[in-house]
Amino acid sequence: MKTVAEYFGSQVFDDREMRSRLSAKVYASLKKTIDEGASLDANVANAVAEAMKEWALSKGATHFTHWFQPLTGITAEKHDSFISPSPDGGVIMEFSGKELIKGEPDASSFPSGGLRATFEARGYTAWDPTSYAFIKGKTLCIPTAFCSYGGHALDKKTPLLRSMEALNRQALRILRLFGNDTAKCVRSSVGPEQEYFLITKEMYDARPDLRSTGRTLFGAKPSKGQEMDDHYFGVIKPRVAAYMEELNEELWKLGIMAKTEHNEVAPAQHELAPIYSTTNVATDHNQLTMEIMQKVAAKHGLVCLLHEKPFAGVNGSGKHNNWSIATDSGQNLLSPGDTPYENAQFLLFLCAVIKAVDDYQDLLRISVATAGNDHRLGANEAPPAVVSMFLGDELNAVLEAIETDKPYLGAEKTQMKLGVDVLPKFNRDTTDRNRTSPFAFTGNKFEFRMLGSSNSIACANIMLNSAVAESLKIYADRLEGAKDFEGELHEMIKQTIKDHKRIIFNGNGYDDAWIKEATEERGLTNYRTTPDCMPHLLDKKNVDMLTSHGVFSVEELNSRCEIMLENYCKTVVIEANTMVDMAKTMIAPAVFRCAADVARDVSAIGAVDGSATCGVAKKLSSRLASLAETIYERVDALEAAVIDLHGADGVIAESAQIRDTVLTKMCELRVACDEAETLTARSYWPFPTYGDILFSVK
Ligand code: ADP
Ligand code: MG
């Protein structure tokens, strides 16, 4: 048997393969493209394609595909085989540099939000050499960006790469000001912690709601849920352990550094965390991870649910986006340093993030907005929809000392003067791990916790990178022109703390009092739903910032706003239709049947034994009959609300109408059905209950 070290990355055309299969010259030229974004000439591309093909064939691959991330939220691929006819009637396996660099999938069926008129059906995909090609099944997958012929981004990778470039540009300016002449580039890194549920295939198949929408639309609270908290970090069941083992192997072969796995709070809920990597690669890897999680589950007779809220009343699933920025030599710019000089630089980067999160709270909220995540944010388990930051006691004390010109009573009890000579050394504060903060500093990185489990991490990181680039730009503009660097630096940091300390909150983010304080006293935004926040993507300050860094064009922003809202509307309408269908054809008939049978039994017993009144049973039967009536009425009301959507003027209005009427009607229908579930004898109930599903994996 091969050891992990032997098979790790075996399905990846990684640096080891490139180095051994390419000539020194071609390798050097490709490296320059990867590390510095230099353009690649045709000869080099041909040589790389040839080597890549030979490697892929040696692994049994027959096809290649440009692998990309359209705005559907999942990945897309169109397979072409390597075969090409040879004069003797046979075939040869071919793959050119041109095919490596550019592909032309028919783009007309991918969402474009009006960017690509239908006559311009073709988009093109362009190789992203910074993310390694890999083999999935028998196909060589080449990570690519996806654009329209007009050059507009139709995917998530393109703006992500642009945002990384923006951050790189501005961060380098700051580093130069601090005398760093050696850093070649600055990149953000991400380690996404991924939560998910595992249930059996039988349970999944028996629930039309899970099959069509990924979440349960009905379900009374089980008698045992997560009250005991006995699942969190509990012993992993053998079937789950077998799943995790195979999952790890598959991920490791793809060079994905799956590292940590454990049970989560809810029954059947688990988490997988990889070791962090460059944001762009982490994003590709997270997409792949989600795909492989589902594939491996199927092999084990299981289904992996990635929905944010598969079960009401039970913790939902999120994704923690651990984010930091580092130089190419590995210096983490969010790590407090050993010397005062490094600490001044650290504080500046820290302030850049504080300012970014406060100035662009709305963009961060928007970046995680989906119909699914709306069920999670603000429920008592996930961070609220209000964005705030947690820094920990020690950093807080440092910032307070700077703001008020008071001595810092930390380890060394010295006056905080940001001048480079006197700033004391402070320790990393990792003691208080606030779990309720949407955006927490955890020693040398920030953990952004608002992402939903099924979200691509691209969106959050696009906004984060761009917003921080903007803060750094403002700082760099000021510092580059400053006569007294240290004085200006001190003033700027002080000013940032003064202006933006409202975003810092170290208390319990789940507390209702906090939401009141946040919105009423601090003026923070609280966009509870996707329709509430999404239109703000087009607010002038956001458009100005994102376009000025070249992350999005105005057209791209318009199209994204439209696509995200369209996704929201489609998602909820599918849910509404599924509810109508299940209530009409499964739930109401079962409830009626049960009511009728109970009534029949009551009269049968009465006929035999004239003295029996069966009062409770009579009540039950009439309650069930009345619930069945209510269910039919509420089905009608929900159907009417969906039909009413046709009258909405545009997607913003439609999404608001969904929020205000369709979702309310869905809730009302569910309440009646869930009550009926608790009263209907189990043998009548038409599908597995929460108790069945949540404890299905033994
Ligand atoms: P936890 O939040 O469970 O205590 P860790 O602190 O070990 O976990 O890290 C969680 C995630 O953060 C992991 O994916 C880890 O690789 C990632 N991580 C650690 N350091 C960094 C960093 N400097 N930048 C980005 N992610 C990081
Ligand atoms: Mg975490």
Side-chain angles (χ1 to χ4, degrees):
M1 216 172 81
K2 282 194 171 169
T3 64
V4 176
E6 280 163 349
Y7 71 74
F8 184 86
S10 60
Q11 300 298 92
V12 186
F13 191 67
D14 58 15
D15 197 57
R16 295 173 300 184
E17 291 296 339
M18 292 180 194
R19 204 190 289 266
S20 76
R21 288 175 180 270
L22 298 170
S23 71
K25 202 167 143 239
V26 170
Y27 175 79
S29 167
L30 179 59
K31 264 312 247 187
K32 219 172 147 62
T33 303
I34 293 174
D35 294 340
E36 295 161 41
S39 65
L40 205 64
D41 81 57
N43 289 335
V44 174
N46 278 327
V48 175
E50 185 61 25
M52 219 186 246
K53 180 196 75 183
E54 286 306 320
W55 168 79
L57 293 179
S58 78
K59 298 271 170 193
T62 53
H63 287 66
F64 69 93
T65 180
H66 277 198
W67 183 78
F68 57 102
Q69 297 165 33
L71 296 168
T72 51
I74 50 175
T75 56
E77 39 195 79
K78 171 184 161 234
H79 297 188
D80 280 304
S81 75
F82 289 117
I83 64 167
S84 175
S86 67
D88 61 2
V91 292
I92 49 169
M93 304 302 258
E94 274 190 350
F95 183 52
S96 67
K98 227 174 107 212
E99 287 170 305
L100 168 64
I101 288 176
K102 192 165 170 180
E104 299 188 2
D106 180 349
S108 54
S109 306
F110 292 110
S112 77
L115 272 185
R116 180 186 19 69
T118 26
F119 61 82
E120 197 197 324
R122 287 192 312 178
Y124 69 92
T125 49
W127 180 33
D128 167 17
T130 61
S131 183
Y132 298 137
F134 56 92
I135 292 174
K136 209 164 47 127
K138 289 185 174 292
T139 303
L140 168 68
C141 299
I142 300 150
T144 53
F146 178 44
C147 297
S148 76
Y149 258 92
H152 294 301
L154 296 174
D155 69 347
K156 303 197 177 189
K157 185 188 273 280
T158 307
L160 179 65
L161 291 171
R162 293 174 184 159
S163 75
M164 289 172 70
E165 189 41 45
L167 182 64
N168 176 45
R169 243 185 335 260
Q170 304 305 332
L172 279 178
R173 288 175 68 193
I174 299 287
L175 289 184
R176 299 289 181 254
L177 284 163
F178 277 88
N180 180 335
D181 291 323
T182 51
K184 285 210 205 77
C185 78
V186 170
R187 290 203 184 100
S188 60
S189 304
V190 171
E193 299 166 70
Q194 175 76 47
E195 291 181 337
Y196 61 99
F197 280 85
L198 269 189
I199 64 171
T200 63
K201 176 88 166 45
E202 299 84 66
M203 294 295 155
Y204 178 82
D205 283 342
R207 296 277 315 210
D209 45 2
L210 281 177
R211 282 188 277 123
S212 341
T213 71
R215 73 176 180 110
T216 55
L217 300 167
F218 301 101
K221 208 168 144 30
S223 43
K224 178 177 191 282
Q226 63 190 56
E227 296 82 0
M228 311 285 286
D229 278 339
D230 50 357
H231 191 254
Y232 191 52
F233 279 44
V235 177
I236 297 174
K237 292 177 183 148
R239 196 164 170 193
V240 175
Y243 165 78
M244 287 177 169
E245 192 181 314
E246 185 172 346
L247 176 61
N248 279 337
E249 275 169 29
E250 291 303 315
L251 295 175
W252 289 338
K253 281 190 222 160
L254 285 166
I256 298 173
M257 285 192 260
K259 172 85 175 163
T260 320
E261 57 210 18
H262 58 78
N263 288 351
E264 264 298 329
V265 177
Q269 193 184 29
H270 312 280
E271 182 186 289
L272 171 85
I275 295 174
Y276 68 97
S277 50
T278 306
T279 306
N280 161 39
V281 173
T283 304
D284 287 357
H285 280 181
N286 184 248
Q287 291 299 125
L288 261 179
T289 300
M290 291 194 284
E291 184 184 325
I292 309 267
M293 284 167 92
Q294 287 168 308
K295 256 195 202 145
V296 173
K299 283 171 78 178
H300 289 250
L302 301 169
V303 175
C304 170
L305 301 177
L306 289 169
H307 194 282
E308 283 71 25
K309 195 73 183 176
F311 306 99
V314 173
N315 266 13
S317 300
K319 181 139 54 188
H320 290 174
N321 190 81
N322 293 276
W323 176 93
S324 68
I325 31 184
T327 64
D328 52 322
S329 64
Q331 187 198 0
N332 182 347
L333 301 174
L334 294 177
S335 193
D338 293 328
T339 65
Y341 204 83
E342 284 169 0
N343 273 343
Q345 182 184 301
F346 160 71
L347 278 177
L348 189 66
F349 278 99
L350 182 78
C351 283
V353 181
I354 296 172
K355 177 173 163 55
V357 174
D358 188 28
D359 284 340
Y360 299 99
Q361 318 161 26
D362 46 357
L363 286 182
L364 292 176
R365 171 67 185 91
I366 287 166
S367 76
V368 300
T370 59
N373 214 14
D374 281 1
H375 296 290
R376 199 178 140 260
L377 297 178
N380 261 343
E381 61 185 56
V386 177
V387 180
S388 69
M389 293 174 90
F390 169 83
L391 295 179
D393 294 340
E394 179 152 26
L395 267 188
N396 264 338
V398 169
L399 297 189
E400 208 174 286
I402 296 171
E403 187 198 351
T404 54
D405 285 324
K406 295 249 170 60
Y408 165 60
L409 299 177
E412 297 173 29
K413 298 194 176 22
T414 32
Q415 173 94 26
M416 289 291 278
K417 181 96 176 80
L418 264 176
V420 173
D421 317 317
V422 264
L423 190 68
K425 176 172 158 62
F426 39 86
N427 298 319
R428 280 174 42 162
D429 181 2
T430 47
T431 46
D432 188 352
R433 312 252 358 218
N434 184 317
R435 294 256 156 217
T436 64
S437 174
F439 205 101
F441 185 67
T442 51
N444 62 354
K445 62 185 188 291
F446 280 97
E447 186 168 354
F448 183 32
R449 302 191 176 122
M450 288 172 85
L451 289 78
S453 46
S454 68
N455 287 166
S456 158
I457 62 170
C459 306
N461 289 297
I462 292 168
M463 296 311 177
L464 198 48
N465 290 339
S466 307
V468 173
E470 172 70 7
S471 306
L472 293 174
K473 175 181 178 292
I474 292 169
Y475 292 165
D477 287 349
R478 257 180 84 170
L479 287 173
E480 280 168 359
K483 293 207 177 64
D484 167 15
F485 176 78
E486 285 167 25
E488 189 74 15
L489 180 66
H490 186 82
E491 267 320 297
M492 246 171 42
I493 289 187
K494 209 168 136 178
Q495 190 68 39
T496 301
I497 300 166
K498 268 207 174 69
D499 293 347
H500 299 286
K501 66 180 174 192
R502 65 172 188 160
I503 197 79
I504 298 167
F505 175 64
N506 294 298
N508 180 2
Y510 298 173
D511 199 341
D512 287 340
W514 158 239
I515 304 300
K516 204 165 136 61
E517 178 187 330
T519 51
E520 290 172 17
E521 287 162 39
R522 302 195 186 201
L524 301 179
T525 53
N526 181 18
Y527 296 128
R528 294 195 37 252
T529 68
T530 302
D532 291 331
C533 67
M534 199 53 73
H536 293 285
L537 181 60
L538 305 179
D539 286 358
K540 185 172 180 317
K541 80 168 178 60
N542 295 334
V543 174
D544 286 351
M545 187 276 279
L546 291 164
T547 54
S548 75
H549 289 280
V551 175
F552 286 111
S553 65
V554 176
E555 294 83 356
E556 287 169 348
L557 285 169
N558 281 318
S559 88
R560 259 152 229 256
C561 179
E562 183 163 330
I563 291 169
M564 298 311 287
L565 285 172
E566 255 172 24
N567 279 348
Y568 173 87
C569 294
K570 282 184 191 156
T571 305
V572 183
V573 168
I574 291 171
E575 290 178 349
N577 289 336
T578 307
M579 282 188 95
V580 165
D581 190 48
M582 286 173 76
K584 257 197 209 166
T585 64
M586 299 174 91
I587 300 174
V591 177
F592 256 131
R593 204 174 316 125
C594 184
D597 285 355
V598 173
R600 209 169 17 249
D601 292 348
V602 166
S603 59
I605 292 172
V608 175
D609 177 357
S611 66
T613 58
C614 298
V616 175
K618 273 186 197 156
K619 254 197 212 149
L620 172 64
S621 153
S622 74
R623 178 71 195 135
L624 281 172
S626 125
L627 273 172
E629 282 287 329
T630 307
I631 291 171
Y632 280 123
E633 280 162 23
R634 293 186 181 177
V635 163
D636 284 348
L638 177 54
E639 278 184 307
V642 172
I643 289 170
D644 242 20
L645 293 175
H646 296 311
D649 183 15
V651 73
I652 293 184
E654 185 181 342
S655 67
Q657 205 173 319
I658 284 180
R659 173 196 61 202
D660 298 336
T661 64
V662 176
L663 281 169
T664 318
K665 302 287 174 217
M666 283 167 63
C667 269
E668 288 167 1
L669 174 57
R670 177 172 185 151
V671 168
C673 292
D674 289 357
E675 187 191 338
E677 186 192 319
T678 63
L679 298 175
T680 304
R682 279 302 300 276
S683 58
Y684 293 81
W685 202 248
F687 41 72
T689 64
Y690 272 22
D692 299 332
I693 304 172
L694 287 168
F695 299 95
S696 64
V697 181
K698 299 282 187 294

